[in-house]
Amino acid sequence: MSQAVDDTLIEAHGLSRHYDVSNGFFGGQATVKALSNTSFRLQAGRTLAVVGESGCGKSTLARVVTMIEKPTAGTLTLDGHHLSSEVILSDAQQAALRASVQIVFQDPFGSLNPRQTIGRILEEPVLINRPDVSAAQREQQARAMLEMVGLRPEHYDRYPHMFSGGQRQRIAVARALMLEPRILVLDEPVSALDLSIQSQILNLLVDLQERLNLAYLFISHDLSVVRHMADDVMVMYLGRVVEKGAAAAVFGSPRHPYTQALLSATPVADPGRKQTRIRLQGELPSPLNPPVGCAFHPRCWKAEERCRQTAPELDDTEVHPVACFFPL
Amino acid sequence: MPLLDVRNLSVDFKTSNGQFRAVDRVDVQVDVGDVLAIVGESGSGKSVSMLAVMGLLPWTASITADSMRFDGLDLATAEPRQRRAIIGKDVAMIFQEPMSSLNPCFTVGFQLREALKAHLPLSRRERQRRAVELLEQVGLPEPERRLNAFPHQLSGGMCQRVMIAMAIACKPKLLIADEPTTALDVTIQAQILELLLELQKNTGMALVLITHDMGVVAETARRVSVQYAGQKVEEQEVQALFANPHHPYTSALLAALPERATTRRLPSIPGVVPGQFDRPAGCLFSPRCAFADDRCRQVNPAMAAAELGHARCHYPLIQGIPQREVS
Ligand SMILES: Nc1ncnc2c1ncn2[C@@H]1O[C@H](COP(=O)(O)OP(=O)(O)O)[C@@H](O)[C@H]1O
Ligand SMILES: Nc1ncnc2c1ncn2[C@@H]1O[C@H](COP(=O)(O)OP(=O)(O)O)[C@@H](O)[C@H]1O
Ligand SMILES: [Mg+2]
Ligand SMILES: [Mg+2]
């Protein structure tokens, strides 16, 4: 097994995840290209944010990266292990990989089993993946983890319903960390939380990253949260990456018209600011029937004939690549 | 005289665990043509206070108020018939989940025509014409075709446009929009907010916008009322509120915004909003407040003067500094 030398924990090449679905009343088959040809790299201690509107493929990417689903094309190297649609891993390899990449979901209410105590919830991944660890050791790990995420030892015996939304999200983070992963995939981790609680959880994530040198794949539709958290940003539209780069570059000088429109649509908490908003016409097209050419062209104010015919590619050799014929 | 004048409104719910105060002595005044944002975290009583005005709360709610007047009519003592003539016509409300506010079994056109029928003396033909006109006004492309659509055939943004069309069908004097864009993507949110402000400007109706998003507040409101745990804790003009919040809660909320962060670690508010069983004595925010002292923990603060944003605080802030001597 090759070990990455430069702390690269995720290396994705041309990842795709397409779904075959039956189409409407006529029983026809159609393909939803939930994720297409996505490449990126993520290193230890860094945060790569994935942004875009609902349905653009963020959660699909999360499921593929956490091996909940296999990619339909492309390759993925996770913590030195190669994966693709063809590779079949042994159970031991799978277990090792599962341990190194963990996921936290948006909904702190749905993601915890209401019948299990917090202690049991935290210990379960260890019980399944590390059967050799003794019960006493497991409990000790779980109690230490509670403290690490800012909960109290007496919470060990309580049930999820006794906790607030923010505390449940702490529990979800604690559970994800029990196997000492190196990568956390955070799928809208603060979207369901109120502002005063959101800042507590963001601070927790910052702390944990510093202490444990974790790599974060941080999924969010909230650009102000992303701007605060991300080192690098990937902007997606209808299953494809349209722009990618350092957060400062993407936010400071967006190159794709969609990125610019997204930034300009995000309300800013400054009533004095005078701004001219880019008005995007229309809504997201159906993923079952995406536009020919550039998927963004029907809503794009810069679109020309070429955009209506050919889909622009993203050149991954560039520092701040963009999939657009007429970048800004 | 304000268009909507609500004073000292409280709403208590009977629950299996006893009484629960969801709205606690709240004042709301809205002038003709005003744009008021009510902002607060979830559970702070934003929806319940406006549902009380609309008369849409279940029987488990008991409502008390010194005054609850709309356009001169006392809503508390009005005959049900008088109320019905006003609610839905002169004052209309839209909600967060446009999909679930529309009836899935009927076409958009049917629901729109029914809304018109309830309040306006129009012929069938006139109703149809007005329905098309309304969908045009809210920016739905191909309005004739959309009238025959069922709600599930439309996107969330389109459903919200239909809801807005129904709400403005009778040219209301006041539109209450309860988190109208919370379920929508930001590019669609921008379209809907723009539509609401445009309608407000063109028709002169007053708009109450309930939201939890400080960015939305900053970009839409003229006046802002901040709620915490059922109480109104502050009210100011929008510019002043962001520049110089007087209640420590408002100040802490603004500081917790990631976009205002100056450091990697955000200034955060410790603890959680009090629930039914742990409502503190004294100021409800005192357990989480950086400036609280014994007085705050024991004595319920009154509202400060208008210059201090009516802050419900013993020591309102001026430029971030608590005024210990003043009060
Ligand atoms: N299991 C599935 N079968 C069919 N389509 C799916 C499935 N999962 C997701 N999709 C579709 O893939 C697209 C991307 O979805 P998702 O990754 O959930 O987006 P996001 O998380 O960005 O909102 C959507 O159009 C969604 O409907
Ligand atoms: N029908 C009801 N019965 C009991 N409690 C309710 C009811 N409706 C709302 N509440 C409670 O009242 C409080 C205020 O709710 P609400 O006004 O909906 O808050 P928000 O500020 O999020 O709109 C919440 O604690 C909520 O749980
Ligand atoms: Mg998602
Ligand atoms: Mg509400």
Side-chain angles (χ1 to χ4, degrees), chain A residues 263-277, chain B residues 218-219 239:
Chain A
L263 280 169
S264 129
T266 302
V268 176
D270 176 6
R273 195 181 73 125
K274 280 282 153 280
Q275 46 129 19
T276 45
R277 173 155 287 155
Chain B
E219 296 201 352
Q239 300 261 6

Side-chain angles (χ1 to χ4, degrees), chain A residues 53 194 200 207 277 280 283, chain B residues 42 155 187 191 265 269:
Chain A
E53 294 174 285
D194 275 316
Q200 295 174 6
D207 279 346
R277 173 155 287 155
L280 269 196
E283 307 198 359
Chain B
S42 53
S155 69
T187 59
Q191 293 172 355
R265 204 156 276 98
I269 308 177

Side-chain angles (χ1 to χ4, degrees), chain A residues 53-60 62-63 106 187-188 219:
Chain A
E53 294 174 285
S54 50
C56 72
K58 304 183 296 296
S59 296
T60 303
R63 287 193 301 273
Q106 164 175 355
D187 191 354
E188 306 271 7
I219 293 171

Side-chain angles (χ1 to χ4, degrees), chain B residues 41-48 51 96 178-179 210:
Chain B
E41 297 177 87
S42 53
S44 60
K46 306 182 294 296
S47 298
V48 169
L51 290 171
Q96 172 172 344
D178 188 352
E179 309 257 9
I210 297 177

Side-chain angles (χ1 to χ4, degrees), chain B residues 129-179:
Chain B
R129 199 177 45 76
R130 178 87 178 114
V132 172
E133 196 176 280
L134 282 164
L135 289 192
E136 255 162 20
Q137 203 179 347
V138 298
L140 262 192
E142 307 174 79
E144 272 102 353
R145 194 164 71 87
R146 301 291 181 207
L147 284 178
N148 298 321
F150 287 90
H152 72 267
Q153 296 170 316
L154 303 179
S155 69
M158 288 188 201
C159 280
Q160 198 56 290
R161 285 181 197 270
V162 172
M163 287 309 299
I164 294 170
M166 285 171 73
I168 62 166
C170 305
K171 305 202 165 85
K173 295 175 180 157
L174 171 64
L175 175 64
I176 301 170
D178 188 352
E179 309 257 9

Side-chain angles (χ1 to χ4, degrees), chain B residues 283 293 295-296 299-302 311-316 323-324 327:
Chain B
C283 168
D293 63 11
R295 181 168 171 226
C296 304
V299 186
N300 214 322
R312 204 178 261 281
C313 177
H314 290 305
Y315 312 116
Q323 304 298 296
R324 303 258 173 207
S327 40

